[in-house]
Amino acid sequence: MSLVTQLTCVQCGAEYAEGAAMTCPRCGMDEGILDVQFDLERAARTLTRTALARRPPSHWRYLELLPVEAECCQAVATIGWTPLLEAPRLAEALGIGRLRLKDDGRSASGSFKDRASSVGVARALREGVKSIACASTGNAASSLAHCAAAAGLQANIFVSQIVPAGKLAQLLAYGARVFKIQGTYAQAYDLCTQACEHFGWYNRSAAINPYLMEGKKTGGLELAEQCADDPPDWVVCSVGDGCSIAGVQKGLAQMKAVGVVKWDARLLGVQAAGVAPIAEAFETGRLDRNGAGDTYADSINVPVPRNWRKAVNAVRNSGGAYVTTTDEQIMRAVLLTGRLTGIFAEPAAATAVAGIAVARAQGLLNKRSSVVALITGNGLKDIDGALRAVGQPHEIPPNLDQVVRIVEADTAAS
Ligand SMILES: *Cc1c(COP(=O)(O)O)cnc(C)c1O
């Protein structure tokens, strides 16, 4: 049985019973985002470190803090419990004391979004719905298509024109019905909402569905458990809609509230300079709803984010900060991360690494800082984007002299 107590509006604080609303009717769909509350005292009785040590290595291990029933989880096998990897050479290149990478690029569909989609599918199963839908620039869609296929639900996906080929191929391979909208992402989003109302589909669009952030929260829950005796100073996450970083902060805070850990970490939110409405709202206190712009990191290209308030509050409550990075810095981070850790990150994931370099240059981080960065997506999802960052092969005739010439030139240069 779920330990959800109520839903609270992040704007006006009004409280609603579970199932009573998807967004706050008083504040409207744009601002009235809800936050799911749990009975943390009851959760603390069973969610202990000893109990956790005996649970399966997936994000369902935190059942007490998830808005799902145990039976519904079985349908979407194992998501989560991704590894936390030491990255000493990358730490040195960035000029910080220690860096660990939590690699969600090796999640089932290759991104952090699997955490949210699996909870969305578990919720849909609980409500007895057979079809589920979302509007997405890519990863939310491919993860939903994956989880729906695993659970035997029909997925309906609304994508914009800028979806990379790798992500589109995933959708079609997982058997989703894909609508590629001749318009903007905002239009794809609105059309998805209309279609869900028309057909009664379950709406996974993370932005307004408060339960999805609870899935993303598992990134923070896991991180807390993985670092229980060895806390980082900072946790770094790239930010698009704002749901991921808010979820991670909530996960860390809840693990402290239930007594599994005793520490807090500061959050560093990283946005691409071309599309940085949340970083701006962190300074000004308000969202520019006429936001435009563009970035190479397609998964965080969200000009008008719906979860901006949660994302601003999460970073503020942690005593953290926002930074922005140029597309050139992001490309460099794709290359550095691959070369110095063996992890192939998609541009939006490498943005977190780029943000560390910026924060170090600004003095937010220093040479002793211990940092965890979330690698939120796999580089194979966007091959064209990756190739823009990583250079070209040596094209040569089948001739050893040519190989020798290139190796000698490389050796001389290093
Ligand atoms: C969605 C996404 C993000 C950002 O998450 P938001 O909830 O939109 O802020 C970061 N990286 C990748 C790879 C993503 O797919």
Side-chain angles (χ1 to χ4, degrees), residues 111 113 139 216 238-244 299-300 346 348-349 376-377:
S111 87
K113 299 277 192 305
N139 283 331
K216 292 188 170 182
S238 59
V239 178
D241 184 67
C243 191
S244 298
S299 297
I300 51 170
E346 74 159 271
T376 44

Side-chain angles (χ1 to χ4, degrees), residues 292-350:
D294 202 10
T295 171
Y296 159 71
D298 67 288
S299 297
I300 51 170
N301 190 346
V302 188
V304 186
R306 314 247 167 176
N307 277 293
W308 69 277
R309 199 182 291 276
K310 276 186 183 174
V312 164
N313 291 346
V315 170
R316 190 159 287 140
N317 293 342
S318 79
Y322 273 92
V323 294
T324 63
T325 64
T326 64
D327 282 0
E328 287 67 34
Q329 288 168 322
I330 296 171
M331 288 187 205
R332 173 137 182 83
V334 169
L335 186 59
L336 267 187
T337 306
R339 191 175 276 178
L340 300 179
T341 72
I343 294 174
F344 184 12
E346 74 159 271

Side-chain angles (χ1 to χ4, degrees), residues 7 10 25 40 64 90 136-137 140 153 192 224 226 283 316 319 377 388 402:
L7 310 177
V10 295
L40 294 178
E64 289 92 333
L90 186 54
S136 160
T137 50
L153 298 184
C192 175
Q226 288 172 315
E283 303 298 332
R316 190 159 287 140
R388 281 173 61 196
Q402 298 286 332

Side-chain angles (χ1 to χ4, degrees), residues 27-383:
C27 299
M29 280 230 304
D30 280 337
E31 290 290 353
I33 302 293
L34 300 178
D35 186 48
V36 184
Q37 312 288 324
F38 292 80
D39 183 343
L40 294 178
E41 264 176 47
R42 261 188 75 186
R45 283 186 224 150
T46 48
L47 197 68
T48 62
R49 277 182 77 177
T50 335
L52 280 168
R54 287 194 293 267
R55 294 191 186 182
S58 84
H59 71 340
W60 302 124
R61 63 203 271 112
Y62 307 106
L63 198 61
E64 289 92 333
L65 296 176
L66 290 174
V68 297
E69 311 296 332
E71 314 81 75
C72 300
C73 305
Q74 313 306 331
V76 191
T78 46
I79 304 274
W81 205 245
T82 53
L84 186 67
L85 305 159
E86 294 285 347
R89 284 177 299 284
L90 186 54
E92 195 186 335
L94 294 168
I96 57 173
R98 184 180 182 196
L99 178 61
R100 283 171 283 179
L101 301 179
K102 185 156 172 62
D103 187 12
D104 267 44
R106 35 182 117 182
S107 183
S109 84
S111 87
F112 191 82
K113 299 277 192 305
D114 284 346
R115 298 177 180 280
S117 292
S118 53
V119 168
V121 164
R123 294 283 307 181
L125 290 172
R126 178 191 192 208
E127 292 177 18
V129 171
K130 296 272 178 292
S131 286
I132 186 162
C134 86
S136 160
T137 50
N139 283 331
S142 43
S143 74
L144 183 68
H146 159 75
C147 294
L153 298 184
Q154 170 70 50
N156 297 280
I157 310 291
F158 296 76
V159 296
S160 60
Q161 294 288 317
I162 54 168
V163 57
K167 293 174 184 175
L168 187 60
Q170 278 188 298
L171 295 179
L172 298 166
Y174 294 136
R177 193 187 277 141
V178 182
F179 301 97
K180 190 170 175 183
I181 308 307
Q182 294 157 344
T184 61
Y185 171 70
Q187 289 171 314
Y189 186 96
D190 290 339
L191 188 58
C192 175
T193 309
Q194 288 169 24
C196 286
E197 278 163 17
H198 185 86
F199 291 106
W201 295 339
Y202 188 87
N203 193 349
R204 180 251 183 259
S205 293
I208 61 160
N209 180 331
Y211 298 104
L212 278 300
M213 195 188 90
E214 301 306 309
K216 292 188 170 182
K217 184 178 81 181
T218 62
L221 298 172
E222 279 177 24
L223 200 53
E225 191 185 349
Q226 288 172 315
C227 300
D229 298 318
D230 192 5
D233 305 316
W234 288 83
V235 174
V236 189
C237 183
S238 59
V239 178
D241 184 67
C243 191
S244 298
I245 195 162
V248 167
Q249 194 268 338
K250 187 173 180 183
L252 293 171
Q254 287 193 333
M255 285 295 252
K256 188 176 179 197
V258 300
V260 174
V261 301
K262 298 193 167 50
W263 45 267
D264 308 288
R266 300 165 86 181
L267 266 100
L268 181 69
V270 188
Q271 290 213 283
V275 188
I278 295 181
E280 283 159 28
F282 188 72
E283 303 298 332
T284 63
R286 50 173 288 278
L287 181 72
D288 175 8
R289 292 199 165 274
N290 303 313
D294 202 10
T295 171
Y296 159 71
D298 67 288
S299 297
I300 51 170
N301 190 346
V302 188
V304 186
R306 314 247 167 176
N307 277 293
W308 69 277
R309 199 182 291 276
K310 276 186 183 174
V312 164
N313 291 346
V315 170
R316 190 159 287 140
N317 293 342
S318 79
Y322 273 92
V323 294
T324 63
T325 64
T326 64
D327 282 0
E328 287 67 34
Q329 288 168 322
I330 296 171
M331 288 187 205
R332 173 137 182 83
V334 169
L335 186 59
L336 267 187
T337 306
R339 191 175 276 178
L340 300 179
T341 72
I343 294 174
F344 184 12
E346 74 159 271
T351 300
V353 173
I356 295 173
V358 171
R360 177 70 176 93
Q362 290 181 1
L364 281 166
L365 302 177
N366 61 44
K367 63 180 193 301
R368 283 176 307 282
S369 302
S370 173
V371 177
V372 168
L374 296 174
I375 299 299
T376 44
N378 192 305
L380 284 172
K381 286 183 163 266
D382 181 6
I383 292 300

